[in-house]
Amino acid sequence: MTITHTPEWQEWWAEARENSQQNSLEPFESYSEVPRQLGKGYTRSIEVHPQVWLEISNCEYYDDVLSQGCDCDHPLEFAVRLSGKITDEFGGQLGEGYTLISGGGIQRKMALLDSQAQVYIIFSMPPELLATFFPTGDGEIPKQLRFLAKGNEWQTLLYPKTTTAIQTVAQQIVNCPYHGMTKRLYLQAKVLELMSLQLAPFLAEQALVQPSPRLKAQTIARIHHAREILLSRLENPPSILELAQMVGMSDRTLQRGFQELFGTTAFSYLTEKRMEWAEQLLRQGNMTIAEVANKIMQILSG
């Protein structure tokens, strides 16, 4: 059974926060129990660094939860689920093999289905802080990370695979053994470590790509944006023409530039990433062989 997010939820959460006691020993941390109307468990919110908020949640709702996101400004977020999962209508998944990097920018309106039981961590910040954590000397965000700061454009959504290292750091954050300022310092270090682990595969991939001297910087940026869109919409990707329109260039320039930058066509790149996703479905073991086969056929014929 699934319950639908309603306007009353905000009132219930506000009441729950008022009734929950803040730990006086941790002035930078607040605690809130899940509203009794929804389930049980808690969320903790910790300011580990100015403007960097870490949320640790261990909740069990009465049923799966269906909610509707909105077209709105969104901060930069990194999320890991240790149990449970959340999926969106475009095929994105957080949990059960995947983590989430949700870039700063405008969030698309989408339906979200959240599992009944969940343990997760998520930390958020203004994208501008990337210039503080990864200084370049000019006060600007490193060019390798600018895809995470879209401003008034659609945000970037990435789903890095869960690794043993990521799981270990997430567990260490949940089970932090320290208190007071030592706790805050420890969590600062772990948040940065988790950020680097989630970004590592994308930064490594960028390092292998050498900019073409025949392509303008703006064209290269748009082609990278096109690739990010493909990665975030593997199950329901746009056509080449639609993709070209989304990034503001002709389909011919997109196809030629994609081949020049990445050594393959956009279609071949999409097929490769879809097959990797299909392989992940097989390894997870949460579906029967018939279900996986049907899913793969839908992916490849979409």
Side-chain angles (χ1 to χ4, degrees):
M1 181 177 176
T2 301
I3 57 177
T4 302
H5 193 289
T6 64
E8 290 81 4
W9 280 45
Q10 292 184 350
E11 298 178 6
W12 294 339
W13 275 105
E15 181 181 356
R17 283 191 291 269
E18 290 180 1
N19 294 333
S20 300
Q21 294 183 347
Q22 180 169 336
N23 187 343
S24 60
L25 297 178
E26 312 287 7
F28 49 84
E29 177 175 352
S30 62
Y31 170 89
S32 179
E33 294 183 356
V34 173
R36 62 182 183 280
Q37 298 94 329
L38 303 178
K40 59 183 180 180
Y42 67 86
T43 62
R44 288 188 289 145
S45 184
I46 307 167
E47 189 179 26
V48 298
H49 183 277
Q51 301 186 78
V52 180
W53 288 90
L54 168 67
E55 181 177 306
I56 302 173
S57 183
N58 187 338
C59 303
E60 183 174 349
Y61 295 106
Y62 295 131
D63 294 287
D64 292 347
V65 179
L66 180 64
S67 60
Q68 184 73 45
C70 63
D71 289 348
C72 53
D73 291 335
H74 196 278
L76 172 59
E77 292 183 342
F78 295 79
V80 177
R81 290 218 167 189
L82 295 172
S83 68
K85 71 175 181 178
I86 183 170
T87 56
D88 65 49
E89 61 182 293
F90 301 115
Q93 174 179 312
L94 167 60
E96 296 186 0
Y98 295 91
T99 66
L100 171 65
I101 300 175
S102 183
I106 306 300
Q107 182 183 60
R108 293 182 184 274
K109 184 176 182 179
M110 66 180 76
L112 303 169
L113 182 61
D114 212 343
S115 59
Q116 178 179 358
Q118 51 191 266
V119 177
Y120 67 84
I121 64 170
I122 182 169
F123 59 93
S124 61
M125 69 183 75
E128 294 76 21
L129 281 185
L130 290 172
T132 299
F133 295 133
F134 302 94
T136 59
D138 58 5
E140 299 293 330
I141 298 173
K143 62 180 181 179
Q144 303 95 321
L145 299 177
R146 290 174 189 169
F147 69 95
L148 297 176
K150 289 300 183 63
N152 293 324
E153 300 179 16
W154 295 118
Q155 67 173 167
T156 297
L157 291 176
L158 301 172
Y159 301 90
K161 292 182 180 179
T162 304
T163 64
T164 300
I166 287 176
Q167 286 182 313
T168 298
V169 174
Q171 288 281 9
Q172 290 171 338
I173 290 174
V174 172
N175 301 313
C176 175
Y178 303 108
H179 301 280
M181 294 308 300
T182 303
K183 175 179 182 178
R184 197 178 192 190
L185 183 62
Y186 177 85
L187 292 177
Q188 284 179 8
K190 290 301 173 182
V191 160
L192 288 175
E193 183 178 1
L194 188 58
M195 186 191 309
S196 66
L197 289 171
Q198 288 184 261
L199 286 172
F202 304 102
L203 296 179
E205 188 173 343
Q206 286 187 32
L208 296 175
V209 177
Q210 298 298 322
S212 170
R214 293 182 294 178
L215 295 176
K216 295 180 180 179
Q218 185 181 44
T219 300
I220 293 173
R222 289 177 176 177
I223 294 172
H224 276 280
H225 186 198
R227 183 186 63 168
E228 294 162 13
I229 292 173
L230 291 178
L231 288 172
S232 66
R233 294 180 55 181
L234 289 178
E235 190 172 5
N236 183 30
S239 66
I240 292 297
L241 181 58
E242 291 172 333
L243 183 62
Q245 292 173 342
M246 292 170 72
V247 299
M249 61 196 311
S250 71
D251 57 327
R252 182 177 179 181
T253 301
L254 173 60
Q255 290 175 318
R256 184 175 65 248
F258 206 100
Q259 176 76 51
E260 194 164 338
L261 280 180
F262 304 114
T264 185
T265 65
F267 178 79
S268 296
Y269 182 84
L270 175 63
T271 300
E272 178 185 351
K273 295 304 178 182
R274 282 174 148 187
M275 292 301 295
E276 290 178 2
W277 184 35
E279 181 182 1
Q280 184 67 28
L281 288 176
L282 288 169
R283 291 181 175 179
Q284 287 177 5
N286 298 322
M287 304 168 65
T288 66
I289 295 178
E291 289 172 334
V292 171
N294 182 57
K295 188 73 171 179
I296 293 174
M297 290 301 295
Q298 291 176 356
I299 293 172
L300 295 180
S301 63

